[in-house]
Amino acid sequence: PLTLPWVIIIVGLYAWTLWNRPNRWLILLPALLPVLDLAPLAGRQLLDTFDLLILATLAIGYWQRLDIPAQPCSGQLQRIAVGLLLASGLVSTAVGLWPIFSGSSLSIASSHPVLESLLVAKGLFLALALVPLLRRIPAAEAGRVREYLVQGLALGAALTTAVVIIERQRFVGLGDFDGVFRVTGNFSAMNNGGAYIEAYLALAIPALIVWTLMQRSMLLRLAGVFAAGVATYAMFVTFSRGGYGGLAVGLLIVTAGVFLAKGGQARQARLWALGISLVVALADRHGVVLHRPLANDLANRRVVPLVVVVVELGNERLDLEELTQVQQLRFVNLLLRRGLALVVLDHVTEV
């Protein structure tokens, strides 16, 4: 394994920060999750640098707050839900590791190794290990937990977007949409389906919008609007239909929350929410197009249309002429009948 000095420096600085400011892990972990992946450089896959940060969080947190009584669960239903989640994770991990008893190789060189079950399961188990620590945050500081998490996710969205911009510029260019180059960012585990950049962006972009609405400075709000637009571009170039759907659901939840709020500041937030939604919908208007594989999938009704689609009919990138007339009619009819899709028709010549 390489990069050992860098790992020691990063974990040491992180531990020093937590020792002095115990609640900062709520900001740092969501922000560093998408970018602190040194596995391709260090050669560590079963236990990477981010895992060491979580272990440092657990060690320092429980050392400082083990004597603080945990806040009670909100109800019996919550205990049952967490118990079922833990049981499901244990059963799934056991099923994935069962081939070991039949003599399967423990090598991680293949695309779907047996030990992949541990790589997937450790995320769930480490997250559940953080829950008791979260419940031991003093009541006087509990009010800022949500603010810290939103800040961390917003920062993570910005950092992920920066990595995607660099990746696109180096390989195909920011405006090249003729091919389907699926970005991976700094998620090295995407080579075997163990991590998904679009899943993180679907969670982080709504948090970035919430962070923008929380700001009182006009400059910070404008910066947040710009970041949300660029982050939406990063989501679109993943070319992931599941990611589009997840982002749409997150935006609906944020919008509903803003419009259900009351008060003078809520009215102003609604205007900003509408503005940000417009920026997100028009992000990279001439670049983000419906590529041919997705058009065929929609024509064959194999995709849930919970997406925001920007269509430029007559544009060679969409290339509807390559579809049969029956597929064209089914494609347009499907979009018109399913009201979950927002279709922007531009430069319409004929259908």
Side-chain angles (χ1 to χ4, degrees):
L2 306 175
T3 68
L4 182 59
W6 286 107
V7 172
I8 295 175
I9 293 174
I10 292 172
V11 176
L13 289 175
Y14 177 82
W16 178 82
T17 302
L18 286 194
W19 187 264
N20 293 279
R21 298 179 178 271
N23 292 335
R24 287 300 185 264
W25 65 273
L26 295 166
I27 300 176
L28 294 176
L29 287 185
L32 295 177
L33 170 63
V35 293
L36 191 62
D37 187 352
L38 302 181
L41 300 176
R44 300 176 181 88
Q45 293 186 349
L46 295 179
L47 187 67
D48 57 23
T49 307
F50 190 78
D51 297 331
L52 296 179
L53 294 188
I54 298 181
L55 294 177
T57 303
L58 295 174
I60 296 175
Y62 285 116
W63 179 271
Q64 293 182 335
R65 293 180 170 174
L66 189 59
D67 57 339
I68 298 178
Q71 298 293 328
C73 296
S74 57
Q76 186 66 23
L77 184 60
Q78 183 181 11
R79 296 190 183 93
I80 296 176
V82 174
L84 291 176
L85 179 61
L86 178 60
S88 174
L90 291 173
V91 172
S92 300
T93 304
V95 171
L97 295 177
W98 189 257
I100 294 178
F101 299 99
S102 60
S104 297
S105 173
L106 296 180
S107 173
I108 59 176
S110 64
S111 60
H112 296 287
V114 175
L115 292 181
E116 178 69 14
S117 300
L118 289 179
L119 296 178
V120 176
K122 70 178 181 180
L124 171 62
F125 297 145
L126 290 176
L128 291 177
L130 290 170
V131 172
L133 182 60
L134 186 64
R135 292 170 55 196
R136 282 178 167 80
I137 295 179
E141 305 174 12
R144 304 200 63 183
V145 169
R146 295 178 182 176
E147 179 182 347
Y148 288 156
L149 288 175
V150 168
Q151 290 177 6
L153 288 171
L155 181 57
L159 293 175
T160 305
T161 301
V163 175
V164 169
I165 294 296
I166 295 173
E167 181 182 6
R168 289 279 301 182
Q169 181 61 32
R170 287 188 175 182
F171 286 95
V172 296
L174 298 179
D176 184 2
F177 294 91
D178 292 333
V180 183
F181 176 81
R182 297 177 181 268
V183 295
T184 60
N186 207 35
F187 288 75
S188 66
M190 286 190 68
N191 69 314
N192 53 17
Y196 298 96
I197 184 175
E198 62 270 19
Y200 182 85
L201 288 174
L203 174 66
I205 293 177
L208 174 60
I209 295 176
V210 172
W211 178 87
T212 303
L213 298 177
M214 292 169 55
Q215 305 309 306
R216 297 183 178 180
S217 169
M218 178 64 68
L219 182 61
L220 290 178
R221 284 198 170 187
L222 292 177
V225 172
F226 173 78
V230 180
T232 303
Y233 164 84
M235 170 61 85
F236 275 124
V237 294
T238 64
F239 296 108
S240 168
R241 297 182 287 270
Y244 299 163
L247 177 59
V249 172
L251 294 178
L252 288 175
I253 294 174
V254 172
T255 303
V258 170
F259 279 87
L260 288 176
K262 299 180 180 180
Q265 292 184 351
R267 286 193 295 269
Q268 185 181 12
R270 293 188 187 105
L271 297 177
W272 278 92
L274 291 174
I276 296 174
S277 300
L278 181 63
V279 170
V280 169
L282 299 180
D284 197 30
R285 174 177 174 274
H286 293 287
V288 179
V289 295
L290 191 63
H291 55 94
R292 190 177 300 111
L294 182 56
N296 283 286
D297 281 350
L298 283 172
N300 294 321
R301 303 186 184 186
R302 293 200 305 265
V303 60
V304 179
L306 187 61
V307 293
V308 178
V309 185
V310 179
V311 183
E312 295 189 6
L313 294 180
N315 190 314
E316 60 181 0
R317 294 174 182 171
L318 182 60
D319 219 355
L320 282 177
E321 295 180 357
E322 291 192 2
L323 301 177
T324 65
Q325 184 176 8
V326 175
Q327 284 180 320
Q328 291 180 23
L329 293 176
R330 290 175 63 188
F331 169 67
V332 175
N333 182 51
L334 177 65
L335 290 178
L336 294 179
R337 287 194 300 109
R338 304 250 182 126
L340 294 176
L342 170 63
V343 184
V344 180
L345 302 178
D346 187 26
H347 305 304
V348 178
T349 54
E350 62 180 43
V351 177

